Amino acid sequence: KFSKYFGSKYAIMVNSGSSANLLMMSALRYFPKFFKKKVKKPNIIVPVVGWSTSYYPISQCGFEINFVDINKNSLNLDVNKINGAIDKNTVAVLAINLLGNPCDFNLLKKVFKKKKLILLEDNCESLGSKFNNKFCGTLGLMGTHSLFFAHHMQTMEGGIILTDNKDLYDILRSLRAHGW
């Protein structure tokens, strides 16, 4: 029901938004076929403002963290500064939609096509937000959501990953179940 409501093909429920972020990064770490280019030391671009559990999974999974400044009006990733941060090892950008405020996905998508990057979303703080009439958390390869008791919709604890990719859906379900 969650994936249908938000317009995504697949939803994977986990125990928290933090675990959703960890599984998202783990899927990429152990199945690099989703990268659009091969690199030796992959890095992921993130905004300098986020939650610790947006960043820890990146490091835990062996990726370098590439911090980019924020736009002071939106508190989101400053898209105009991404090009300067991209290097030969950059494989993805983690867009963190803060306080119900979406990133500028029109500008982000232009960068992605040119540089062969993956768009990931941490939408844990913005459940229900939209960009161009499409729900945030559904604009990238994967998007994470938190159902923590202080959020918009809550289950006391809980998190969900949305994706339209069937292979990722199967991989994420397996990782959630300790690889079974």
Side-chain angles (χ1 to χ4, degrees), residues 141-170:
L141 181 62
M142 291 179 274
T144 59
H145 305 270
S146 174
L147 306 175
F148 187 61
F149 70 86
H151 291 151
H152 302 87
M153 183 173 95
Q154 57 95 8
T155 58
M156 230 20 218
E157 298 264 343
I160 295 180
I161 306 165
L162 292 178
T163 186
D164 286 337
N165 186 294
K166 173 74 166 102
D167 288 341
L168 271 173
Y169 172 68
D170 291 337

Side-chain angles (χ1 to χ4, degrees), residues 6 9 31 53 58 73 75 103 117 120 125 129 137 142:
F6 286 97
K9 289 184 182 176
F31 300 92
T53 57
I58 297 168
N73 293 323
L75 301 179
C103 293
L117 302 177
L120 305 168
E125 301 295 326
S129 294
M142 291 179 274

Side-chain angles (χ1 to χ4, degrees), residues 18-82:
S18 302
S19 291
N21 284 334
L22 181 57
L23 257 66
M24 177 170 64
M25 293 302 161
S26 296
L28 294 178
R29 169 69 174 97
Y30 297 110
F31 300 92
K33 70 178 187 174
F34 296 104
F35 295 140
K36 297 178 181 180
K37 59 184 179 178
K38 290 187 180 194
V39 299
K40 291 188 179 189
K41 292 188 101 184
N43 73 61
I44 296 176
I45 291 175
V46 298
V48 295
V49 175
W51 188 250
S52 60
T53 57
S54 300
Y55 305 129
Y56 288 155
I58 297 168
S59 182
Q60 282 175 285
C61 290
F63 299 113
E64 297 289 323
I65 299 174
N66 189 346
F67 287 104
V68 171
D69 206 358
I70 59 166
N71 175 305
K72 290 180 179 120
N73 293 323
S74 69
L75 301 179
N76 287 328
L77 192 63
D78 188 336
V79 179
N80 298 314
K81 294 183 180 177
I82 289 178

